[in-house]
Amino acid sequence: MSPLACDVLIIGGGIAGLSLASALAPFSSVVLVESEPTLGYHTSSRSARQLIPSYGPVPVLDLTRRTLDLLDGVQSSTGLPLTVPRSFVLVGSEAGVDAQASATMRRLTHAEALELCPQLRPGAFAAAAIDTDCVGTDTDLLLEYHRRSASDDGVIILTGAPVTAACYDGATWSIRAGHRAITAEVVVDAAGAWADGVAGLCGVAPQGLVPLRRTAAIVAADNAPPVGSPMVAAADDSFYYRPDADGVLISPSESEPAEPGDAQPRPGDVERLIDRLGAVTTLGITTVRRSWTGLRTQRESGVPVVGFDPDQPGFFWLAGQGGYGFQTSSGIAELATVLLTGADPADLGADPDRVGAAAAALRPVPVS
């Protein structure tokens, strides 16, 4: 079988790789490979499904706002219900809320917070703030939109195709992915928790990307908030919860370093969270319907890494999105498309100054 030839090979079939594939396909020939038998298997299928414009460092906030604008455009043109309004409420001590609430959030009185989130116990928090620009997102529908859009524009998607070998001759990559040989001018590393490992396989120095555990569960509760109620998070990162069509989604909001892999909840994690929520809410959790753990991968700076490697110009980083993968996905895909093609941002409907600022903030750093 002769090698597949393309301009750009994307390694990773989560939201990062799929959103780039759909954005880049009109300009370049693209092959996307995913090691798992299904797309979006790891972190992308284990998302909290909330896009929060006030959550994250400044470059992330800018990319989130751009993503929301782009998703609005997709919804208007396709009619797909990709997002629904769902506010975000932050609660905790005065100092904690002051430290965690961004400038775009509005402070709530204690009474206002209890009216919006009546499941909170009055003595469980002293301060609260709200972001009313947040939306919930149908992550499955968004992944499928990008997959279909990419496929319709000619992207070849291979699942069950782990990259096992890579060689660069100064102009072209020769890659072995599953049983296929692929040649490409550029390799894009969108491998999530495995991104530094993929870089090593390609002879590229790592960017210090660390996978972090984040556990969640869907539970039944006697006093579940109705659909449409805000997502509630603790300013000390000890929990969050939000309504879900199947009950209540809860999380201990942990960020513990872990090895890349198919992460799973540890014994006692969900039970301790239920005890914690019992102390601060009146949810009355009765049953755990399902639970999971994802890996949120990031570098020390907390911002994603996007751009050509400074020491290997044929290698492009698209990783380190941390907990901001879905909420920055379209903005990052737009940025990456500009960098990969050399297009004028204005030709894509993007603000050149904003794209330039994002490129500078997210660029890979030289490794000494």
Side-chain angles (χ1 to χ4, degrees), residues 63 117 152 207 222 227 241 285 297 299 349:
L63 287 162
C117 312
D152 288 349
Q207 285 288 307
D222 290 333
V227 173
Y241 68 87
I285 295 169
T297 302
R299 53 179 171 171

Coordinates of all heavy atoms in Angstrom, one line a residue, residues 63 117 152 207 222 227 241 285 297 299 349:
L63 N -9.4 33.9 23.8 CA -9.7 32.8 22.9 C -11.1 32.3 23.2 O -11.8 31.8 22.3 CB -8.7 31.7 23.1 CG -7.3 32.1 22.5 CD1 -6.2 31.1 23.0 CD2 -7.4 32.0 21.0
C117 N -29.3 29.9 43.6 CA -28.8 28.6 43.9 C -29.3 28.2 45.2 O -28.6 28.1 46.2 CB -27.2 28.6 43.9 SG -26.5 29.5 42.5
D152 N -16.2 16.4 5.0 CA -16.8 16.9 3.8 C -15.8 17.7 2.9 O -16.0 17.8 1.7 CB -18.0 17.8 4.2 CG -19.2 17.1 4.6 OD1 -19.2 15.8 4.5 OD2 -20.1 17.7 5.2
Q207 N 7.7 20.3 25.9 CA 7.3 21.6 26.4 C 6.9 21.6 27.9 O 6.4 22.6 28.4 CB 6.2 22.2 25.6 CG 6.6 22.6 24.2 CD 7.4 23.9 24.2 OE1 6.9 24.9 24.8 NE2 8.5 23.9 23.6
D222 N -32.2 14.2 45.6 CA -33.6 14.6 46.0 C -33.9 16.0 45.7 O -35.1 16.4 45.4 CB -33.8 14.3 47.5 CG -33.8 12.8 47.8 OD1 -34.1 12.0 46.9 OD2 -33.4 12.4 48.9
V227 N -32.9 22.0 35.2 CA -32.1 22.3 34.1 C -32.2 23.8 33.8 O -33.3 24.4 33.8 CB -32.6 21.5 32.9 CG1 -31.9 21.9 31.6 CG2 -32.3 20.0 33.1
Y241 N -20.7 21.9 40.9 CA -21.8 21.1 40.4 C -22.7 21.9 39.5 O -22.7 23.1 39.5 CB -22.7 20.6 41.7 CG -23.4 21.7 42.4 CD1 -24.7 22.1 42.0 CD2 -22.8 22.3 43.6 CE1 -25.4 23.0 42.8 CE2 -23.5 23.2 44.3 CZ -24.8 23.6 43.9 OH -25.5 24.6 44.6
I285 N -27.9 13.9 47.6 CA -27.4 13.0 46.6 C -27.8 11.6 47.1 O -27.5 11.2 48.2 CB -25.9 13.1 46.3 CG1 -25.7 14.5 45.7 CG2 -25.4 12.0 45.4 CD1 -24.2 14.9 45.6
T297 N -4.3 18.6 30.5 CA -2.9 18.7 30.3 C -2.5 20.2 30.1 O -3.1 20.8 29.3 CB -2.4 17.8 29.1 OG1 -2.8 16.5 29.4 CG2 -0.9 17.9 28.9
R299 N 1.0 23.3 30.6 CA 2.4 23.6 31.0 C 2.3 24.5 32.1 O 1.3 25.0 32.6 CB 3.1 24.2 29.8 CG 2.5 25.4 29.1 CD 3.4 25.9 28.0 NE 2.7 26.9 27.2 CZ 3.3 27.6 26.2 NH1 4.6 27.4 25.9 NH2 2.6 28.5 25.5
G349 N -11.7 36.5 8.6 CA -12.6 37.2 9.5 C -12.1 37.5 10.9 O -12.9 37.8 11.8

